[in-house]
């Protein structure tokens, strides 16, 4: 049933569905929000501003040549159906197109903005920051000016507005603190960093969120040092992610996108509103998007072992564990990368070698066919590592796309880990999107991309989400930087604001490099292999190891993996949020998947002497819940939830866990 609508009547444009409605003054196409309504509680806010929602200049030239088009976009294999409201107009010599996206039963409206034309008479700005210049390839680019602009805004009445800005970090090879929150009372005009801003009225705790669909703050293009401006009840989203040179008369240039959502009172309401939108970016299928993957790079052999015999041996081991996907990392191809352990490779001028992305005939004399064949026999899907040719802003994107398409057509490869990206310009971002879209178009949307977030300028957690999932981090026992609670903490912190099911979370071979952790209480060897796997359950488990190196006792994990497969998709289809205390190695912590009157609880007892504790959940006070253990070592129970969602739980030993399926008893 289509619940969305968009209509222009006289001078009023209305866009909405069953949960949200936003009204605009038409203003010749350069629209100004008039009101915003949360239909879940009939909260209506009037906009206290008379300026257009989208601003690219301090003066206000009259809009011309305005048009509106409303159409229903049908669902594909990847994208859900949505209503598309396209508004276009001209300011002097600049064409502007704003496309609003709204989904059924979703309390948020997204907006994608495109620019085309001549910008000299419109854009103001200042010089690109020094921090950004080091990533610009050509000298003339350093003369470009940033676009001083507003992506969206809303001006509430009242003096009691609070806000929380959330800044994210990727580049996880260098960062181990991935989420930073700042709670404020909105006062005089100040700027804040982050992809996400929650604003709410202290009188009723109801409010809105702005989500900027862009890379993490520190790697955004043409970055101005902030995403959000707050001024009492006025909230503004800034930063288009472009410079003057990016806008030309020849083609449309896309800015960063912006989402405005509404929520009722309380923390849970705002997080569920955000997650509802995030789950509409890509249709999630059990047989396509769920995976328990093995990638051998975590044992640091790099490409020294990778060949046909090794992969066949690894497949047998993967099957003994119950793994569903086996991904061959760097080294399967003819070309040698800079990470090669057997050659001094390079990513420069990849296409000087037309065979770069073909299987190395010395390692794979029969191509990948024996690997694919054995994988099918064992029920294991094969994936590959791929590094797009980075030079000249991904100018060779069509060749890269064709290489991926050829691998799909010849071998049926559907999952590609995309590594080595540096999105240093709008041109690079545009070409990268063209690459992904071309591959999807030519493979009937069958291909999934694992987007590596470990280094350089990449998409982060809020851009390119429609293409697949995120390879979160590289950690190695060899370098003594794999600690189970660190990995759990990163997932726990992100899961509040990023769908956990979109994150590949690694577990390693705890029997390697034991001597390097000698005397450490948080050493991987002090945890069971089952517990290391359990840390990953809220995300997509990634066995970052060589199966051949595992001792026989590790294969007992197949039983737990088998149980996990039975509820993996059902748990991931809920809203997964963190519960308990932040993981520290000594906490009681975990996750909850909410699905109306039922769901799942994953609870971890870290290295703490406390055997029984009261853990805060997202359950309502006073409800009775029946908890049935599925994995781990907790006991079945039926209990009444206390204040702040308190659930009393016990685990018999340290570094232990339990997965409960719960149901609210009426």
């Amino acid at each position: 049933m289509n619940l969305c609508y968009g209509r222009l009547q006289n001078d009023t444009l209305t866009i909405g569905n069953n949960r949200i409605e936003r009204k605009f003054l038409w203003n010749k196409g350069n629209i100004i929000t008039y009101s915003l309504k949360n239909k879940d509680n009939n909260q209506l806010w009037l906009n206290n501003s008379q300026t257009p929602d989208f601003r690219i200049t301090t003066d206000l030239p009259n809009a011309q040549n305005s048009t509106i088009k409303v159409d229903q976009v049908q669902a594909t294999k990847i994208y859900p159906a949505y209503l598309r409201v396209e508004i276009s107009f001209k300011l002097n010599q600049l064409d502007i197109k704003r496309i609003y996206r709204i989904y059924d039963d979703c309390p948020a409206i997204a907006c994608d903005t495109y620019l085309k034309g001549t910008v000299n008479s419109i854009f103001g700005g200042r010089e690109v920051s020094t921090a950004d210049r080091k990533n610009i390839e050509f000298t003339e680019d350093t003369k470009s000016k940033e676009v001083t602009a507003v992506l969206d805004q809303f001006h509430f009445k009242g003096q009691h507005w609070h806000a929380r800005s959330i800044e994210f970090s990727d580049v996880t090879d260098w960062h181990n603190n991935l989420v930073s929150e700042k709670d404020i009372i909105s006062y005089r005009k100040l700027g804040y960093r982050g992809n996400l801003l929650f604003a709410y009225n202290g009188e009723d705790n109801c409010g809105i969120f702005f989500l900027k669909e862009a890379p993490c703050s520190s790697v955004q293009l043409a970055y101005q040092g902030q995403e959000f401006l707050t001024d009492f009840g006025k909230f503004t989203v800034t930063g288009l992610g472009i410079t003057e040179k990016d806008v030309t008369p020849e083609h449309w240039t896309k800015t960063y996108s912006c989402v405005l959502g509404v929520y009722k009172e309380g923390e849970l309401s705002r997080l569920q509103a955000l997650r509802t939108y995030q789950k509409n970016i890509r249709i999630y299928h059990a047989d396509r998007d769920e995976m328990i993957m093995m990638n051998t790079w975590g044992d640091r052999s790099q490409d020294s072992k990778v060949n046909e015999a090794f992969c066949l041996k690894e497949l047998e081991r993967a099957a003994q564990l119950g793994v569903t996907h086996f991904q061959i990392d760097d080294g399967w191809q003819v070309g040698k990368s800079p990470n090669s352990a057997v050659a001094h490779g390079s990513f420069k001028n990849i296409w000087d070698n037309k065979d770069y992305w073909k299987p190395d005939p010395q390692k794979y004399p029969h191509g990948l066919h024996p690997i694919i064949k054995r994988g099918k026999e064992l029920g294991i899907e094969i994936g590959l590592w791929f590094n797009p040719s980075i030079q000249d802003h991904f100018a060779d994107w069509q060749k890269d796309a064709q290489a991926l398409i050829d691998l799909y057509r010849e071998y049926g490869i559907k999952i590609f880990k995309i590594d080595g990206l540096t999105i240093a310009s709008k041109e690079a971002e545009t070409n990268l999107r063209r690459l992904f879209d071309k591959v999807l178009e030519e493979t009937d949307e069958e291909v999934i991309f694992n987007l590596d977030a470990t280094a350089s300028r990449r998409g982060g957690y809020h851009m390119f989400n429609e293409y697949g999932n995120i390879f979160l981090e590289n950690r190695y026992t060899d370098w003594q930087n794999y600690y189970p609670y660190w990995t759990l903490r990163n997932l726990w912190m992100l899961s509040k604001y990023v769908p956990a099911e979109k994150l590949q979370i690694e577990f390693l071979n705890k029997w390697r490099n034991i001597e390097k952790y000698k005397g450490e209480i948080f050493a991987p060897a002090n945890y069971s292999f089952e517990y290391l796997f359990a840390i990953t359950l809220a995300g997509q488990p990634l066995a970052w190891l060589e199966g051949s190196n595992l001792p026989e006792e590790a294969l007992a994990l197949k039983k737990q993996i088998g149980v996990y497969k039975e509820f993996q998709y059902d748990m991931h289809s809920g809203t997964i949020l963190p519960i308990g205390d932040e993981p520290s190695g000594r906490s009681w912590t975990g996750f909850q998947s909410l699905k109306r009157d039922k769901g799942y609880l994953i609870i971890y007892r870290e290295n703490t002497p406390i055997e029984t504790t009261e853990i805060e959940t997202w359950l309502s006070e006073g409800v009775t819940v029946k908890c049935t253990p599925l994995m781990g070592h907790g006991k079945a129970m039926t209990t009444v939830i206390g204040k702040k969602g308190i659930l009393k739980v016990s685990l018999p030993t340290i570094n232990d866990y339990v997965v409960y399926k719960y149901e609210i008893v009426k």
Side-chain angles (χ1 to χ4, degrees):
M1 182 174 66
N2 184 12
L3 303 173
C4 304
Y5 53 87
R7 53 180 178 264
L8 177 62
Q9 294 177 314
N10 299 321
D11 68 341
T12 303
L13 170 66
T14 307
I15 301 176
N17 61 15
N18 59 317
R19 300 190 65 186
I20 183 174
E21 183 177 270
R22 190 172 182 179
K23 288 187 175 182
F24 308 85
L25 301 177
W26 179 241
N27 191 35
K28 299 181 180 180
N30 196 7
I31 57 178
I32 303 169
T33 295
Y34 173 74
S35 66
L36 181 65
K37 186 175 185 178
N38 183 345
K39 290 189 175 182
D40 288 344
N41 62 355
N42 289 318
Q43 175 81 52
L44 179 69
W45 296 288
L46 298 178
N47 188 20
N48 207 28
S49 173
Q50 299 301 312
T51 57
D53 298 337
F54 179 72
R55 295 286 306 278
I56 51 175
T57 177
T58 53
D59 60 353
L60 292 172
N62 288 326
Q64 299 173 318
N65 302 343
S66 60
T67 63
I68 183 171
K69 183 167 64 175
V70 180
D71 54 6
Q72 181 68 36
V73 178
Q74 299 303 311
T76 70
K77 289 182 178 179
I78 291 175
Y79 308 115
Y82 65 93
L83 187 74
R84 184 179 188 270
V85 180
E86 179 183 313
I87 301 160
S88 62
F89 59 97
K90 182 185 283 287
L91 295 179
N92 293 346
Q93 300 303 308
L94 181 66
D95 291 307
I96 300 172
K97 180 167 63 178
R98 307 205 80 199
I99 299 173
Y100 289 87
R101 289 178 282 117
I102 185 165
Y103 305 88
D104 283 353
D105 202 33
C106 176
I109 303 172
C111 184
D112 307 317
T113 301
Y114 298 81
L115 304 177
K116 182 172 72 169
T118 304
V119 302
N120 294 342
S121 62
I122 296 293
F123 289 176
R126 56 181 173 81
E127 286 294 314
V128 176
S129 70
T130 304
D132 210 36
R133 275 192 180 135
K134 64 184 179 184
N135 294 289
I136 294 180
E137 202 164 322
F138 298 107
T139 304
E140 59 265 32
D141 289 352
T142 64
K143 301 173 184 177
S144 297
K145 291 181 179 179
E146 293 180 14
V147 179
T148 302
V150 172
L151 271 174
D152 205 354
Q153 59 182 315
F154 199 95
H155 191 175
F156 299 93
K157 293 182 179 178
Q159 297 289 100
H160 304 289
W161 284 87
H162 299 244
R164 175 187 298 162
S165 63
I166 300 99
E167 182 180 358
F168 300 85
S169 296
D170 53 359
V171 195
T172 57
D173 280 352
W174 293 93
H175 294 144
N176 205 33
N177 298 282
L178 309 183
V179 180
S180 177
E181 302 178 359
K182 188 162 191 174
D183 289 307
I184 63 166
I185 293 177
S186 184
Y187 191 52
R188 304 291 181 188
K189 189 174 183 178
L190 287 171
Y192 299 93
R193 292 164 61 103
N195 288 85
L196 187 58
L197 182 83
F198 292 102
Y200 57 96
N201 191 336
E203 295 171 318
D204 58 20
N205 286 333
C206 300
I208 65 164
F209 71 81
F210 279 120
L211 171 65
K212 185 175 178 182
E213 296 186 303
C216 299
S217 301
S218 60
V219 298
Q220 285 181 27
L221 301 173
Y223 191 55
Q224 298 170 305
Q226 60 201 15
E227 281 83 5
F228 306 111
L229 295 173
T230 70
D231 188 1
F232 291 100
K234 184 175 183 179
F235 300 95
T236 303
V237 188
T238 67
L240 274 66
I242 59 176
T243 60
E244 296 180 300
K245 73 178 184 66
D246 297 317
V247 183
T248 70
E250 288 76 37
H251 59 80
W252 289 104
T253 299
K254 186 178 185 293
T255 71
Y256 292 141
S257 297
C258 188
V259 183
L260 172 62
V262 296
Y263 54 83
K264 298 183 295 184
E265 180 179 2
E267 177 85 343
L268 180 58
S269 176
R270 67 185 70 139
L271 296 176
Q272 286 182 315
L274 170 67
R275 192 59 47 86
T276 300
Y277 170 75
Q278 292 171 322
K279 282 181 173 285
N280 271 294
I281 294 173
R282 175 185 171 91
I283 296 173
Y284 200 82
H285 287 301
D287 58 354
R288 179 188 67 198
D289 296 290
E290 294 291 0
M291 53 189 74
I292 302 166
M293 181 176 283
M294 179 187 287
N295 181 313
T296 64
W297 197 268
D299 277 12
R300 297 302 306 157
S301 296
Q302 296 165 272
D303 61 345
S304 64
K305 289 185 179 180
V306 174
N307 58 33
E308 180 181 303
F310 174 76
C311 288
L312 290 172
K313 185 178 179 182
E314 286 295 297
L315 278 173
E316 300 301 322
R317 207 61 163 174
Q320 290 176 311
L321 271 175
V323 163
T324 62
H325 295 69
F326 176 67
Q327 192 162 59
I328 310 174
D329 211 295
D330 185 4
W332 63 269
Q333 73 280 10
V334 168
K336 296 295 181 283
S337 85
N339 296 318
S340 173
V342 298
H344 296 291
S346 171
F347 287 138
K348 291 183 179 179
N349 304 313
I350 278 178
W351 286 107
D352 287 353
N353 179 356
K354 62 181 177 57
D355 295 328
Y356 195 104
W357 291 115
K358 292 181 179 178
D360 185 332
Q362 292 184 314
K363 294 182 175 184
Y364 299 93
H366 310 97
L368 297 177
H369 293 292
I371 314 300
I372 302 297
K373 179 176 181 292
R374 187 55 180 151
K376 286 181 179 178
E377 292 169 353
L378 296 171
I380 297 173
E381 188 164 346
I382 307 301
L384 292 177
W385 173 92
F386 190 86
N387 193 114
S389 45
I390 194 171
Q391 67 270 8
D392 299 330
H393 314 276
F394 300 110
D396 287 326
W397 68 267
Q398 290 173 298
K399 294 177 182 177
D400 292 335
Q402 193 59 52
L404 294 168
I405 294 163
D406 290 344
L407 289 163
Y408 168 81
R409 289 175 177 167
E410 181 169 0
Y411 298 111
I413 303 288
K414 297 179 182 179
I415 299 178
F416 294 96
K417 178 184 175 185
I418 303 298
D419 203 354
L421 300 180
T422 296
I423 308 172
S425 67
K426 178 55 67 170
E427 183 181 358
E429 180 190 306
T430 301
N431 284 339
L432 189 60
R433 196 177 288 278
R434 287 170 175 161
L435 189 165
F436 294 150
D437 289 342
K438 178 69 173 176
V439 172
L440 291 178
E441 179 185 348
E442 295 293 326
T443 63
D444 194 26
E445 295 186 339
E446 290 286 333
V447 165
I448 301 171
F449 299 107
N450 307 128
L451 298 176
D452 186 291
T454 63
S456 193
R457 289 176 171 264
R458 300 181 183 174
Y461 310 105
H462 304 287
M463 193 173 80
F464 296 143
N465 302 82
E466 64 269 36
Y467 296 119
N469 56 23
I470 297 170
F471 179 95
L472 185 62
E473 62 183 18
N474 299 306
R475 299 291 184 264
Y476 304 101
T477 57
D478 308 69
W479 299 345
Q480 203 176 336
N481 69 349
Y482 172 62
Y483 292 95
Y485 85 88
W486 283 7
T487 295
L488 178 58
R489 178 177 179 267
N490 283 337
L491 176 59
W492 191 90
M493 298 286 284
L494 284 168
S495 68
K496 196 172 184 179
Y497 305 115
V498 177
E501 66 272 13
K502 302 284 284 186
L503 302 171
Q504 285 191 305
I505 305 299
E506 63 194 356
F507 65 104
L508 276 65
N509 181 345
K510 78 190 192 80
W511 293 276
R512 291 184 70 245
N513 299 309
I514 290 176
E515 70 285 352
K516 293 189 177 183
Y517 292 88
K518 189 175 182 180
E520 293 197 45
I521 63 169
F522 299 129
N526 291 337
Y527 301 81
S528 70
F529 196 48
E530 179 183 346
Y531 183 87
L532 301 188
F533 172 67
I535 284 172
T536 72
L537 300 183
Q540 294 293 330
L542 173 67
W544 189 235
L545 49 81
E546 295 176 25
S548 308
N549 285 343
L550 290 173
E552 288 298 315
E553 65 182 284
L555 303 182
L557 186 63
K558 184 174 185 178
K559 178 181 179 182
Q560 281 75 35
I561 289 179
V563 174
Y564 175 62
K565 288 176 183 175
E566 294 176 5
F567 67 86
Q568 183 180 14
Y569 174 73
D570 191 49
M571 180 179 71
H572 284 156
S573 64
T575 297
I576 298 175
L577 296 172
I579 60 172
D581 294 326
E582 178 183 313
S584 66
R586 292 186 174 279
S587 303
W588 278 87
T589 186
F591 303 92
Q592 181 177 352
S593 172
L594 294 91
K595 301 188 64 180
R596 295 188 183 275
D597 291 336
K598 60 181 182 178
Y600 296 85
L601 295 161
I602 311 175
I603 298 170
Y604 307 93
R605 175 188 170 186
E606 296 187 302
N607 192 339
T608 170
I610 302 170
E611 294 184 15
T612 300
T613 194
E614 294 181 334
I615 194 167
E616 286 191 26
T617 71
W618 298 99
L619 293 164
S620 300
E621 179 184 354
V623 302
T624 301
V625 292
K626 179 183 178 182
C627 297
T628 304
L630 302 178
M631 292 176 65
H633 303 97
K635 294 181 179 179
M637 60 181 177
T638 299
T639 187
V640 177
I641 300 299
K643 291 181 179 180
K644 295 185 177 182
I646 288 293
L647 173 71
K648 193 172 184 179
V649 63
S650 298
L651 284 170
T653 58
I654 63 168
N655 298 329
D656 203 357
Y657 79 105
V658 61
V659 179
Y660 284 117
K661 185 173 186 178
Y662 74 82
E663 183 178 356
I664 295 175
V665 180
K666 297 292 185 181

